[in-house]
Amino acid sequence: MSHVPELLAPAGDMLSLKAAVENGADAVYLGVKKLSARAYASNFSVDELEQAIDYAHLRGVRVYVTVNTLIKDAEFAEAAETLQTIAAYGADAVIVQDIGLLSFLREFLPELSVHASTQMTVHNTESVRLLEGMGVKRIVLARELSLGAIRSIRNRTQTELEIFIHGALCICYSGQCLFSSMVGGRSGNRGYCAQPCRKQYVLKKNGEEVNVKGNFLLSPKDLNTAEILPQIIEAGVSSLKIEGRMKRPEYVAGVVNIYRSLLDRYATDPAGYFVSEDESRTLEQLFNRGFTHAYLSGDPRLELMDHDVPYNRGVLVGTTVSGRSGRGYVSLKLSGPLNIGDGIGFSYKGMGENVTDMFYKGKSITSAGKGMVVDLFLSNPISAGTQVYRTSDISLFRSMERSFNSQKPARRVSVRIELTAVKGKNLKICLEDSDNNIVKVISGYIVQASQKNPTTEINIKKQLLKLGNTVFYPASLEVRSDLDIFVPVKELNNLRNSAVQEMEKVRIKKWKRTFKNFTLSSPPYRGEKTGKPLLSVSVNTLDNLLCAADEGADLIYFGDENFRSYTKATLKEAYDIAVVAGCRIYLTTPSIVWDKELDELNSLIQEALKIGFCGVLVGNLGVLREVQQLGHNFIIDHNLNVFNNRSVLFYHRAGAEAVSLSPELTLEQVSSLGTYGTVECMVHGNPKLMVIENCIVGSLLGGENDTCCIPCRDGKFLIKDEKGFEFPLLMDEHCRTHIFNSRELCLLDDISSFIKAGVFRFRIEARYMDAQKVRLVVASYKNRIHQSISEQRTSHLSCRDISDRYTKGHYFRGVL
């Protein structure tokens, strides 16, 4: 039998947990209220959590608790207390996003294993090595990686790797999405994503709307890897994860059941692996927005997105042969089975309903099959020739419900039973389970010689095998007894029940931990907030660099995602401009750098530092490890989601000169974090909302062939939402899409408030401004900073003067 990875299932509530366990999951992941990246799932209270963990552990299933949100300082004490409780209850690991929380766990709760969430955007080998060095047991890789990239990481690192194999996809790199946050104040990084990717948008090119197929331009299909499961297993991952903590338990049961069967089939006969039609159809029926392998099989090109349907499309079940303009009966020719109680939808449109009445040749029926023409009563107007889809199959759901609602458990643990019955001695029983737990129970009953009807071995075995609805089943049973003995049935039953109860306790208790109560105190301040306010400006062209330097920028961050376009000569010229103006200059590195791109980026970094650049603006954990290893000076970019004082301290202890804070923080929170190190705030520019591995424009306009015709290079593109807000798109040299906010961030009017709050480092994002705008913005902020320090008002420019449409972001409103 071949080794197969762990099957990891979602559990949004107790029913879903039972569904996952009873259908073959090796492990489950679940959230606690307030600390989960699926805040809209039911999740578990702390009190409910112990019951859930005990339920799983009794049945030999591991439990990972998701604590994968960014933690505010005000929440840290409660989070720490909750984490200690999670550890005490016996959770096998916690899944973490926040680097501050991760560093806290390794220091204060080393007994609790940590898994790095996909929200940490781990997508290259160096990122894995950095987390490996911190003691992280497992890393959930970014969903954008191919199997080749995963194999490469596996071959070069030691820690466990986990990937998603089924369910909904995020179109953006997880951990890099601010769309929901900036548009609606609900942060995806904090578990409150409003799913803007499932909304309708219009594509515009050079200001004009472009006619494309479908309006759901950011909505990916669902992941389904059943067909390529052997290749995934052979890539060497440790855990296969099913998405779906917000799905109903019947969905969890069905998907887990099928993947369990597929994994067992592969283990038994790898060469004979197959996926049956019934299995494929069931996965499709349970939920689908169309299926894709996403990036696992390479560039998905046209196979990733469904621009027509952002919701469950169901399975085609028939076509109407008559229609109505209002409520009433229509005739439907079936191409598949249909039952009363099934849910149906029409030609991928949003409307749908349940089948409540169905007639065949004038006779009321409850079920119908392929080829029949039936009459249905529908509430929605429908025309002839409309395709009808079964969006839910009541018989399938009932079958799945039975799999986890039965009184007799399907998931059972084998035990070896040994009973000793010797005359004149206490009756004894020994149970040993498949995990080598041993329980011995001695009865108060003294075995008697038989006076009339001896208790035979057959009699004894009959009673001991009655394990009923317990989670145990007998793998073997051995009776060691004298002849002609008498043991009352009641004594056998009581002894058996006591042994079973004791084994249950042992299986649960072995995972529990005990801790001394501790009071969390804030880490010590790093120093007083003093110094001259500094203005940093991000630019990506020499013209913009010159303008920023001329207008008094103190620091320049030079570069962007298209790092290959920067030659040695370009870097030298940039350095010379900065030096002449008295600016410190740093090389900007991208938020996404795959292994195949890292060597080239390293060469660019080395060249820049050789020329005289002061250091590197670090955009991801992999680049951080690289510059650490080489001893280079660096600044942490805001892509790394620094949200609390422990994160600030972690990066400073790692050697950072300064830390750019998350743009989701309030000014009050920023002020507090400034006492723990040198921090920087973005105060002006278009915040980036998404980084997408797929080229949106290329998937829409790039042609039907395997090779894209690169339409993104021919004009300026944006997407417009249903409210008329327009979001600029930029495609980089790696064909990734970057989506920017519809409103420019502008805090010019509030600079004095920032300085009073102890903020001394301000960032202008000017990479996508024209040179004239760069001059205006930099000069305005430089002037306002001077005014705030000297308290002499010499300029009346405000945000309205330098920005047509602007926002103050989250500094004065915060996020959920």
Side-chain angles (χ1 to χ4, degrees):
M1 208 182 240
S2 297
H3 171 72
V4 297
E6 165 191 275
L7 181 59
L8 176 57
D13 55 27
M14 196 65 193
L15 272 181
S16 293
L17 173 66
K18 290 179 178 179
V21 169
E22 290 292 80
N23 281 279
D26 298 307
V28 295
Y29 64 102
L30 51 85
V32 289
K33 297 181 190 298
K34 295 185 179 181
L35 292 176
S36 166
R38 286 292 180 269
Y40 296 125
S42 297
N43 290 319
F44 293 79
S45 69
V46 174
D47 291 337
E48 294 166 335
L49 186 62
E50 186 171 23
Q51 177 191 354
I53 293 173
D54 289 351
Y55 176 89
H57 280 168
L58 177 59
R59 292 156 178 82
V61 174
R62 294 176 288 278
V63 179
Y64 311 135
V65 181
T66 59
V67 192
N68 53 342
T69 64
L70 298 178
I71 308 294
K72 299 176 183 178
D73 281 339
E75 300 166 339
F76 219 98
E78 183 181 2
E81 183 180 345
T82 300
L83 283 160
Q84 190 179 54
T85 302
I86 290 169
Y89 286 167
D92 295 86
V94 287
I95 306 170
V96 173
Q97 171 191 9
D98 192 302
I99 196 74
L101 190 64
L102 172 53
S103 62
F104 164 81
L105 283 167
R106 302 320 301 141
E107 183 176 356
F108 290 99
L109 279 174
E111 304 91 342
L112 184 57
S113 293
V114 176
H115 296 179
S117 169
T118 191
Q119 289 285 122
M120 294 192 83
T121 326
V122 179
H123 61 280
N124 56 43
T125 299
E126 293 304 312
S127 297
V128 174
R129 286 174 173 164
L130 183 142
L131 293 171
E132 209 171 51
M134 292 180 67
V136 171
K137 182 180 180 182
R138 178 184 296 178
I139 292 165
V140 188
L141 294 173
R143 280 172 274 210
E144 287 75 9
L145 292 178
S146 68
L147 284 174
I150 292 168
R151 276 192 297 270
S152 175
I153 291 173
R154 170 70 294 144
N155 292 336
R156 299 162 66 190
T157 58
Q158 301 301 315
T159 193
E160 295 178 6
L161 302 178
E162 177 179 301
I163 67 167
F164 285 89
I165 59 164
H166 198 92
L169 290 166
C170 289
I171 186 60
C172 176
Y173 273 90
S174 293
Q176 301 300 309
C177 183
L178 295 176
F179 211 142
S180 175
S181 166
M182 289 296 181
V183 171
R186 293 190 280 177
S187 170
N189 287 319
R190 303 242 318 140
Y192 292 97
C193 180
Q195 293 195 303
C197 54
R198 303 298 182 187
K199 306 294 185 184
Q200 294 191 69
Y201 299 90
V202 172
L203 181 68
K204 296 182 73 173
K205 174 183 176 181
N206 298 330
E208 299 294 326
E209 291 189 8
V210 180
N211 186 25
V212 296
K213 183 180 180 297
N215 292 321
F216 297 96
L217 306 187
L218 302 180
S219 182
K221 298 175 183 177
D222 286 349
L223 182 64
N224 179 348
T225 65
E227 291 179 355
I228 60 169
L229 208 53
Q231 296 96 297
I232 292 174
I233 295 169
E234 288 153 18
V237 295
S238 299
S239 182
L240 307 176
K241 188 172 198 170
I242 296 168
E243 182 277 337
R245 278 193 289 142
M246 294 178 67
K247 296 287 202 310
R248 54 192 292 175
E250 294 87 351
Y251 170 88
V252 174
V255 175
V256 171
N257 182 279
I258 287 175
Y259 275 95
R260 178 76 275 152
S261 297
L262 296 178
L263 288 170
D264 291 347
R265 185 176 302 153
Y266 173 87
T268 303
D269 181 15
Y273 178 86
F274 67 94
V275 183
S276 71
E277 285 188 20
D278 281 347
E279 289 165 335
S280 294
R281 193 180 304 111
T282 298
L283 288 175
E284 190 178 8
Q285 182 64 76
L286 285 166
F287 194 95
N288 83 90
R289 297 182 179 93
F291 283 136
T292 176
H293 296 162
Y295 300 93
L296 289 168
S297 297
D299 183 359
R301 183 90 166 89
L302 305 175
E303 301 302 318
L304 180 67
M305 312 290 282
D306 189 327
H307 299 133
D308 294 308
V309 186
Y311 41 78
N312 180 24
R313 63 166 61 178
V315 175
L316 182 65
V317 75
T319 306
T320 56
V321 293
S322 69
R324 290 184 66 89
S325 57
R327 292 165 57 92
Y329 286 92
V330 299
S331 295
L332 173 67
K333 184 171 183 179
L334 295 175
S335 56
L338 189 66
N339 302 294
I340 295 292
D342 286 352
I344 54 174
F346 312 103
S347 294
Y348 296 169
K349 302 303 179 185
M351 58 186 185
E353 52 189 273
N354 289 329
V355 178
T356 56
D357 293 293
M358 185 163 57
F359 293 86
Y360 179 64
K361 295 182 178 181
K363 183 179 178 181
S364 177
I365 57 174
T366 59
S367 62
K370 180 178 179 180
M372 295 172 66
V373 177
V374 297
D375 295 319
L376 303 180
F377 183 85
L378 301 178
S379 300
N380 292 296
I382 206 81
S383 59
T386 299
Q387 290 183 315
V388 179
Y389 293 80
R390 187 180 59 231
T391 53
S392 65
D393 182 338
I394 191 168
S395 62
L396 174 61
F397 272 49
R398 284 173 178 167
S399 171
M400 293 299 101
E401 185 180 19
R402 287 193 295 272
S403 75
F404 59 87
N405 263 349
S406 171
Q407 289 297 311
K408 191 167 185 176
R411 184 65 168 266
R412 308 188 79 183
V413 177
S414 67
V415 289
R416 293 181 292 279
I417 306 173
E418 182 182 298
L419 184 109
T420 303
V422 177
K423 293 174 187 176
K425 293 189 177 181
N426 295 79
L427 186 66
K428 294 188 294 187
I429 193 171
C430 176
L431 263 62
E432 183 177 1
D433 69 11
S434 52
D435 295 318
N436 301 317
N437 296 305
I438 297 175
V439 165
K440 295 179 180 180
V441 179
I442 301 175
S443 170
Y445 175 76
I446 306 295
V447 179
Q448 305 293 317
S450 171
Q451 300 298 318
K452 188 184 297 183
N453 297 315
T455 303
T456 66
E457 184 175 326
I458 293 175
N459 298 143
I460 293 172
K461 287 185 174 180
K462 180 181 178 181
Q463 297 309 123
L464 296 184
L465 291 174
K466 290 181 178 179
L467 295 178
N469 294 333
T470 72
V471 300
F472 302 111
Y473 73 90
S476 66
L477 172 56
E478 183 179 352
V479 176
R480 296 177 180 176
S481 65
D482 292 341
L483 296 174
D484 298 323
I485 61 170
F486 175 74
V487 180
V489 169
K490 179 181 177 182
E491 294 296 337
L492 289 170
N493 289 342
N494 287 343
L495 188 61
R496 179 201 64 217
N497 292 342
S498 295
V500 165
Q501 291 168 10
E502 192 62 30
M503 180 60 81
E504 288 177 347
K505 291 177 184 177
V506 167
R507 288 183 62 81
I508 291 170
K509 188 177 180 180
K510 67 180 290 187
W511 301 102
K512 306 288 186 182
R513 306 177 181 95
T514 55
F515 299 96
K516 294 180 180 178
N517 290 331
F518 72 94
T519 302
L520 180 74
S521 58
S522 296
Y525 292 161
R526 191 166 180 265
E528 293 298 320
K529 297 183 287 184
T530 58
K532 169 191 169 186
L534 299 177
L535 185 64
S536 59
V537 184
S538 291
V539 295
N540 59 357
T541 66
L542 294 173
D543 285 346
N544 283 7
L545 191 161
L546 181 61
C547 293
D550 281 350
E551 299 301 333
D554 299 294
L555 302 98
I556 296 291
Y557 303 146
F558 183 72
D560 62 11
E561 309 294 332
N562 297 318
F563 64 82
R564 288 173 177 165
S565 62
Y566 298 106
T567 64
K568 180 179 178 180
T570 307
L571 295 177
K572 181 65 168 67
E573 194 170 349
Y575 172 76
D576 289 342
I577 293 171
V579 168
V580 169
C583 303
R584 290 171 61 84
I585 186 168
Y586 299 77
L587 182 69
T588 298
T589 60
S591 57
I592 306 299
V593 185
W594 279 27
D595 280 348
K596 63 184 179 182
E597 302 157 4
L598 203 50
D599 286 346
E600 198 170 353
L601 177 62
N602 279 339
S603 297
L604 187 71
I605 291 171
Q606 297 283 18
E607 195 61 56
L609 294 171
K610 192 184 301 181
I611 288 169
F613 276 59
C614 299
V616 178
L617 183 66
V618 168
N620 71 72
L621 292 176
V623 174
L624 170 60
R625 186 175 188 276
E626 287 280 296
V627 297
Q628 274 185 313
Q629 295 285 311
L630 296 169
H632 300 321
N633 189 35
F634 64 91
I635 296 170
I636 294 295
D637 208 349
H638 57 77
N639 312 33
L640 289 171
N641 294 324
V642 175
F643 216 75
N644 51 57
N645 52 36
R646 292 182 186 275
S647 296
V648 172
L649 284 171
F650 170 80
Y651 284 119
H652 273 298
R653 289 166 180 166
E657 172 191 324
V659 175
S660 299
L661 299 176
S662 164
E664 294 187 299
L665 292 166
T666 64
L667 177 56
E668 182 181 0
Q669 292 163 343
V670 167
S671 175
S672 172
L673 295 183
T675 60
Y676 294 93
T678 303
V679 299
E680 177 180 84
C681 293
M682 183 189 294
V683 293
H684 200 98
N686 277 70
K688 188 185 297 184
L689 303 185
M690 281 187 173
V691 183
I692 303 171
E693 185 64 27
N694 181 262
C695 177
I696 293 175
V697 174
S699 69
L700 291 167
L701 306 176
E704 299 297 324
N705 300 323
D706 290 339
T707 303
C708 178
C709 64
I710 319 180
C712 58
R713 297 183 182 177
D714 182 27
K716 293 185 177 180
F717 292 88
L718 57 82
I719 54 174
K720 182 176 73 172
D721 71 8
E722 296 165 295
K723 294 182 179 179
F725 292 104
E726 297 181 339
F727 304 89
L729 306 179
L730 283 176
M731 278 58 68
D732 65 27
E733 63 191 5
H734 306 287
C735 296
R736 298 181 185 118
T737 302
H738 304 262
I739 304 181
F740 295 84
N741 199 22
S742 60
R743 295 288 184 266
E744 194 171 53
L745 182 68
C746 183
L747 278 301
L748 179 64
D749 305 335
D750 302 284
I751 289 299
S752 60
S753 297
F754 276 77
I755 292 176
K756 288 175 183 176
V759 179
F760 296 106
R761 198 147 168 163
F762 304 100
R763 168 108 159 253
I764 294 171
E765 178 53 77
R767 284 184 289 181
Y768 310 108
M769 299 178 187
D770 60 43
Q772 184 178 355
K773 178 70 178 284
V774 173
R775 282 194 180 277
L776 175 64
V777 171
V778 175
S780 300
Y781 276 89
K782 194 69 179 177
N783 217 1
R784 185 58 60 89
I785 291 170
H786 175 73
Q787 290 176 34
S788 298
I789 296 171
S790 64
E791 299 184 351
Q792 296 178 356
R793 189 168 181 82
T794 58
S795 170
H796 298 284
L797 286 180
S798 67
C799 283
R800 292 182 180 179
D801 300 310
I802 66 172
S803 185
D804 294 333
R805 295 169 295 179
Y806 68 92
T807 175
K808 293 189 179 184
H810 295 299
Y811 288 114
F812 300 100
R813 67 177 184 180
V815 294
L816 284 176

